[in-house]
């Protein structure tokens, strides 16, 4: 069982599937009612990728592309907050100070991106550090961290436990392919300095989330500070 409040980083992939989103929302409500406390950070998903792709073809600069992605992640946050309006804070915070104020109301807080140049993984770790949480649950579009991208490399080896520093070194040496979507060096550096443990689980089924939070089972990779 996960003890203490945590940040739930929810992959934008969840928002690409209506049933998956509604089932995750149901699980989040159930966990909240049971007394588990969390802040949810939402990704942008395929809608963000589509908009960014169109804008990139038109020659839009990278800062504006980031801004588009942030806007979509915040739209996803508003969608989830609306679905959970009986327990959620309906104004989507845009920075750490507003997140703290929202958290102080005692309601479920859901956020998207904050500013260009930051992944939502970084937002999740910054939020955990700012609020004094020691756990981030990364509900990702992959079930664990691997030595390379398992979708294209059949020899990829699953990593069950690794430190943030070790993973940062692997990312710098580019021995792990395609992991920016999961965790980036900035996010890992915040985990390291803040003493935050990251649990990577698959978002393919909401049962993965509830089984981990309630019983500690089903975690793919544990990333220690």
């Amino acid at each position: 069982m996960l003890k203490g409040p945590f940040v739930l980083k929810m992959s934008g992939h969840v928002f690409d599937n209506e049933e998956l989103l509604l089932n995750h929302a149901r699980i989040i409500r159930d966990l909240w009612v049971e007394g588990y406390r969390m802040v949810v950070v939402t990704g942008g998903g395929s809608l963000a990728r589509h908009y960014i792709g169109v804008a990139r073809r038109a020659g839009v600069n990278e800062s504006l592309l980031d801004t588009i992605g942030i806007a979509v992640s915040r739209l996803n946050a508003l969608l989830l907050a609306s679905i959970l309006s009986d327990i959620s804070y309906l104004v989507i915070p845009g920075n750490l100070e507003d997140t703290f104020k929202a958290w102080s109301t005692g309601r479920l807080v859901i956020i998207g991106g904050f500013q260009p140049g930051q992944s939502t993984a970084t937002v999740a770790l910054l939020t955990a550090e700012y609020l004094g949480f020691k756990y981030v649950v990364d509900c990702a579009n992959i079930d664990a961290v691997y030595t390379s991208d398992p979708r294209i490399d059949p020899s990829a080896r699953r990593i069950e436990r690794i430190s943030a520093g070790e993973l940062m070194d692997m990312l710098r040496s580019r021995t792990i392919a395609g992991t920016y979507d999961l965790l980036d060096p900035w996010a890992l550096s915040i985990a390291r300095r803040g003493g935050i443990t990251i649990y990577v689980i698959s978002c393919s089924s909401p049962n993965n989330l509830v089984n981990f939070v309630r019983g500690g089972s089903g975690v793919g990779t544990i990333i220690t500070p």
Side-chain angles (χ1 to χ4, degrees):
M1 183 172 68
L2 194 62
K3 297 179 180 179
F6 62 95
V7 172
L8 172 62
K9 164 65 175 65
M10 182 174 290
S11 169
H13 174 74
V14 172
F15 293 84
D16 297 338
N17 182 311
E18 181 178 320
E19 289 303 315
L20 191 61
L21 172 61
L22 293 176
N23 285 330
H24 271 92
R26 175 179 52 82
I27 291 299
I28 290 170
R29 179 185 284 109
D30 289 347
L31 291 172
W32 186 269
V33 170
E34 290 171 23
Y36 295 98
R37 291 296 176 258
M38 72 194 86
V39 172
V40 181
V41 180
T42 59
S46 64
L47 183 60
R49 290 190 293 275
H50 172 66
Y51 281 4
I52 288 170
V54 172
R56 181 172 281 121
R57 283 188 61 191
V60 173
N61 68 55
E62 291 299 317
S63 290
L64 285 173
L65 295 180
D66 273 357
T67 301
I68 291 168
I70 289 166
V72 177
S73 71
R74 289 171 58 80
L75 179 61
N76 284 345
L78 180 58
L79 172 59
L80 183 59
S82 299
I83 294 169
L84 297 172
S85 59
D86 53 323
I87 59 173
S88 70
Y89 187 84
L90 278 173
V91 178
I92 307 304
N95 55 53
L96 291 172
E97 292 83 359
D98 288 346
T99 300
F100 177 79
K101 292 175 184 176
W103 179 251
S104 298
T105 67
R107 296 184 69 81
L108 172 66
V109 179
I110 304 171
I111 58 180
F114 282 167
Q115 66 184 41
Q118 287 181 343
S119 68
T120 47
T122 296
V123 171
L125 269 298
L126 283 170
T127 298
E129 183 182 51
Y130 196 83
L131 297 177
F133 298 176
K134 293 302 179 183
Y135 311 104
V136 168
V137 178
D138 192 347
C139 192
N141 191 24
I142 193 169
D143 63 348
V145 177
Y146 287 80
T147 53
S148 59
D149 191 337
R151 293 165 292 192
I152 59 176
D153 181 4
S155 66
R157 180 174 57 83
R158 179 180 174 128
I159 300 172
E160 294 185 358
R161 190 179 188 95
I162 191 170
S163 73
E166 290 171 331
L167 186 52
M168 286 171 66
D169 290 340
M170 294 176 73
L171 287 169
R172 289 193 189 101
S173 65
R174 299 185 179 181
T175 57
I176 296 182
T179 54
Y180 179 80
D181 289 342
L182 183 62
L183 289 161
D184 56 272
W186 191 3
L188 291 168
S189 69
I190 297 164
R192 193 176 185 181
R193 77 185 186 191
I196 300 164
T197 300
I198 304 168
Y199 300 94
V200 179
I201 64 172
S202 171
C203 71
S204 62
S205 168
N207 290 332
N208 295 330
L209 175 60
V210 72
N211 290 340
F212 171 68
V213 174
R214 286 177 179 163
S217 62
V219 63
T221 300
I222 300 173
I223 304 170
T224 60

